Amino acid sequence: MATESSVEGGEEEMKVMGGNKESVVDNTDLREMATKIAAWSVSSCKPGNGVSSLRDDNYETYWQSDGAQPHLVNIQFQKKVKLHSVALYVDYNLDESYTPSKISIRAGDGFHNLKEIKTVELVKPIGWVSIPLSGNDPREAFVNTFMLQIGVLSNHLNGRDTHVRQIKVYGPRPNPIPHQQFQFTSPEFITYSTVR
């Protein structure tokens, strides 16, 4: 997967070519964040192709929008979370004009104050497309937010509705022992890590 990026007026624009058929995240320091602590919603959908199709781990199902662009996926968290990246599974070979070509990612406390943090242009993607949420500064590895919104601004071949097959949101794995600078990884070390 090839990427190019440029910064314009505080937001980052990125171009992604290709995709990856395998799982996107092989980093053990990251975990999927939106499984239990998030509420998902979409701006519109065809019957039978709603939010559940985005989260079922099946590449044969997909969310299909129904209406005017932009098409939105909203992910609201119960508490403020740190997010590292978003991964979308899209397939240009199967979906053609339904495949997203330009995506906007916004973050904030709620619908009233979302701010665009990333714009991504996809060029005939097939497979997982990983979009890092951090900026160019290495000290800003994560985005702290209550809500994430993924907006499909346009599709390939000027398509009207969109297909997205899966979405995953990744953040840091929590330290099992709070207020400790280092993190044990084996259960045995974690068991004996405190002094009584």
Side-chain angles (χ1 to χ4, degrees):
M1 174 174 65
T3 61
E4 300 171 14
S5 57
S6 64
V7 177
E8 291 180 19
E11 73 183 53
E12 187 176 343
E13 188 162 323
M14 192 167 106
K15 186 180 234 182
V16 178
M17 292 161 266
N20 188 356
K21 286 284 190 181
E22 300 300 317
S23 176
V24 187
V25 173
D26 53 1
N27 186 343
T28 57
D29 293 337
L30 299 177
R31 68 177 176 141
E32 216 280 316
M33 296 292 291
T35 305
K36 295 179 182 173
I37 61 168
W40 289 70
S41 63
V42 291
S43 56
S44 64
C45 66
K46 296 270 188 195
N49 295 98
V51 174
S52 60
S53 299
L54 284 174
R55 305 292 300 156
D56 61 2
D57 289 324
N58 182 355
Y59 300 146
E60 302 300 315
T61 62
Y62 49 83
W63 162 58
Q64 181 175 341
S65 62
D66 184 20
Q69 290 174 342
H71 307 299
L72 305 174
V73 176
N74 304 304
I75 308 162
Q76 294 176 286
F77 296 93
Q78 297 169 358
K79 59 183 181 178
K80 195 172 233 183
V81 294
K82 287 184 177 184
L83 300 178
H84 177 268
S85 58
V86 173
L88 289 88
Y89 192 92
V90 289
D91 195 332
Y92 180 78
N93 286 345
L94 294 175
D95 299 328
E96 293 180 348
S97 67
Y98 290 96
T99 308
S101 64
K102 191 165 190 181
I103 293 175
S104 167
I105 298 181
R106 304 167 190 132
D109 294 334
F111 287 102
H112 60 282
N113 71 345
L114 290 172
K115 181 181 175 193
E116 189 166 73
I117 56 172
K118 191 82 76 160
T119 304
V120 181
E121 191 175 325
L122 305 176
V123 181
K124 297 184 179 179
I126 300 168
W128 285 104
V129 175
S130 181
I131 303 165
L133 298 177
S134 60
N136 292 334
D137 187 350
R139 293 173 295 184
E140 298 174 1
F142 303 102
V143 171
N144 292 313
T145 188
F146 278 103
M147 181 175 178
L148 197 69
Q149 185 178 73
I150 302 165
V152 177
L153 304 179
S154 64
N155 292 326
H156 284 78
L157 307 171
N158 294 321
R160 180 174 168 243
D161 290 328
T162 194
H163 286 181
V164 177
R165 293 179 177 269
Q166 294 291 304
I167 296 179
K168 302 234 182 249
V169 181
Y170 293 97
R173 209 171 273 290
N175 188 347
I177 302 159
H179 311 296
Q180 190 169 359
Q181 296 103 348
F182 50 88
Q183 181 174 351
F184 292 116
T185 55
S186 76
E188 188 174 357
F189 276 126
I190 292 171
T191 304
Y192 297 106
S193 64
T194 57
V195 179
R196 294 178 207 238

